[in-house]
Amino acid sequence: MQILDGTLVAAHIKEQLKTEVDALKSSTGKTPHLAAILVGNNPASEAYVGHKVKTCAELGFESTLLRFDTSISQRDLVNEVRKLNEDSSVDGILVQLPLPDHIEPDMIINTIDPAKDVDGFHPISQGKMMLGQPTFLPATPYGILLMLEHYNIDVAGKHCVVIGRSNIVGTPMTILLSRNGKPGNATVTLCHSRTRNLKDLTLQADVIVAAIGKPKFVTADMVREGAIVIDVGINRIDDPTKKSGSRLVGDVDFDNVAPLCSYITPVPKGVGPMTICGLMKNTLEAAKLPKPVYN
Ligand code: NAD
C-alpha cells in the first residue's frame, strides 16, 4: 500500500508555480492576484480561506481577503462580486462556501466573471469542462487529477466509483475521470444518497472517490483488495485524547481500509493540499488572460 501524499505533491507543484510566477513577473510585471470573499466566521471556512491566503503569500501571489458579516444582503454581496469583476488588478475570485441561508449560492457564483472563476464553479466553466473545452476546472477534482498524474496512476479502462454528486466535487469528478483525456478514459459509476446496494458497486471498483461528508463512511467490507481510494471528506470528530478535543477524519475508515489498498489518500494531508494547488494553478492561468474593459 502506498500513501498518496498530498503535502508532498503540493510542495512539488508549488515549486513549479513559484518559478512560473517569477517568470511572469519578470516578463510582464504582472503578479497573480486572488481575491477571496468570506461571509461570517465559520471556523472551517476561516481555516480554508486562511490556507489559501497563506499559500498565495508563499508563491508570491497577491491576495485580498474581503470579510463580511452574515447580515450582508444577497444584493450587496452580488455588488461586491461585481466590483471584483471590474477591478482589473484582480485575476481570480473565490467565494468561500457555505454562505448564510438567506443567500442563494448560485446567484453569487453566477455573478463571478467566468474569466476570474478560479474555483471553476460558474456554469460556463462547468459547461466547458463537460464539453472538454479549455477552462478552469473545479479546484478539488483538478487537484485529484494532479495527484493521479504525479503518481503516474493511469485510470484508463478502470472502473471508478464516485460516491457523492455535489456540483463542486462528485459530479465534475465523474466527468473528468470519464473524458477522453489523461487522466481519463475510466468507466465511471456515480453513487449518491439514493443509490441502492452501494457496497455491491464499491466492491467492483478499481478506484473509489469518496466525497460524502460522513466520517468513516467507507468501511473495509466495501473495498476490494488492490483498490485505489481517494478520500475527499473532511469531517471533525470528537477526540478527547487531543488538546483541542477533536480531530479531522475523512469519509473513509482509513485504519481498516488502507491495508487493502494499492494507493490511498490520508486525511488530512491528502486531497486538501491538492485542492489549493488546483486553485493556485487556475489563478496563475487567470493572471495570463487579457482583462476585459468595463465601462
Ligand atoms: P455535499 O454535502 O454537497 O454532498 C454530499 C453527497 O454525498 C451528496 O451528493 C449525497 O448524495 C451523497 N451522500 C450522502 N449520503 C450518502 C449515502 N448514504 N450514500 C451515498 N451517498 C451519499 O458534499 P461536498 O461538498 O462534495 O463535500 C463532501 C465532503 O468533501 C465533505 O466532507 C467536504 O467537507 C469535503 N470537501 C473536501 C474538499 C477538500 O479539499 N479536501 C473540498 C470540498 C469538499
Side-chain angles (χ1 to χ4, degrees):
M1 181 271 296
Q2 183 174 356
I3 298 280
L4 299 172
D5 185 337
T7 310
L8 185 95
V9 183
H12 280 286
I13 293 175
K14 286 195 269 188
E15 278 312 310
Q16 291 163 6
L17 283 173
K18 267 194 231 172
T19 311
E20 279 187 59
V21 172
D22 289 345
L24 182 74
K25 279 184 190 172
S26 56
S27 64
T28 67
K30 171 85 203 154
T31 301
H33 181 183
L34 176 68
I37 289 182
L38 178 60
V39 181
N41 51 6
N42 172 317
S45 296
E46 291 267 3
Y48 298 145
V49 169
H51 281 136
K52 292 165 189 172
V53 167
K54 193 170 139 246
T55 308
C56 282
E58 250 180 78
L59 300 182
F61 287 23
E62 197 181 327
S63 68
T64 302
L65 174 55
L66 299 173
R67 290 172 167 275
F68 300 102
D69 192 80
T70 45
S71 61
I72 189 169
S73 68
Q74 178 166 292
R75 178 184 297 205
D76 286 349
L77 194 58
V78 162
N79 283 331
E80 293 296 338
V81 173
R82 286 197 181 129
K83 279 192 231 164
L84 294 175
N85 286 344
E86 292 171 18
D87 181 343
S88 60
S89 79
V90 170
D91 300 301
I93 302 171
L94 148 86
V95 179
Q96 187 63 48
L97 301 177
L99 292 168
D101 289 346
H102 65 279
I103 300 177
E104 194 53 59
D106 285 351
M107 274 298 290
I108 306 303
I109 287 164
N110 293 0
T111 304
I112 296 174
D113 180 343
K116 298 188 180 189
D117 176 38
V118 289
D119 247 341
F121 295 168
H122 192 283
I124 289 187
S125 308
Q126 297 249 338
K128 285 186 172 176
M129 174 191 66
M130 207 203 79
L131 297 171
Q133 297 175 14
T135 188
F136 298 120
L137 299 179
T140 300
Y142 186 18
I144 293 170
L145 295 188
L146 293 170
M147 167 94 93
L148 294 172
E149 256 175 21
H150 179 90
Y151 284 97
N152 277 320
I153 297 175
D154 187 3
V155 296
K158 291 198 163 70
H159 182 199
C160 299
V161 172
V162 177
I163 318 174
R165 59 179 159 189
S166 72
N167 291 335
I168 62 173
V169 187
T171 298
M173 198 70 244
T174 62
I175 292 165
L176 293 168
L177 288 170
S178 59
R179 70 181 176 171
N180 187 359
K182 203 167 185 287
N185 286 312
T187 302
V188 182
T189 302
L190 174 55
C191 300
H192 45 76
S193 52
R194 306 286 285 273
T195 297
R196 288 191 200 144
N197 306 325
L198 179 65
K199 184 176 154 185
D200 292 347
L201 295 162
T202 57
L203 279 172
Q204 294 171 34
D206 302 305
V207 180
I208 297 174
V209 179
I212 311 147
K214 294 190 174 168
K216 302 186 187 186
F217 179 89
V218 177
T219 47
D221 60 330
M222 297 167 73
V223 179
R224 69 167 187 78
E225 193 87 35
I228 298 165
V229 173
I230 310 289
D231 189 353
V232 182
I234 302 178
N235 310 289
R236 189 161 283 284
I237 60 163
D238 292 340
D239 183 348
T241 69
K242 300 280 173 196
K243 214 160 95 187
S244 63
S246 67
R247 74 185 155 100
L248 293 180
V249 294
D251 287 346
V252 176
D253 178 8
F254 183 89
D255 291 345
N256 294 308
V257 169
L260 295 167
C261 296
S262 53
Y263 297 94
I264 185 167
T265 60
V267 176
K269 299 184 178 173
V271 173
M274 297 309 302
T275 294
I276 297 186
C277 282
L279 175 71
M280 296 297 148
K281 279 179 81 81
N282 282 342
T283 305
L284 178 58
E285 287 314 307
K288 296 176 186 167
L289 295 174
K291 296 285 168 287
V293 177
Y294 287 85
N295 296 309

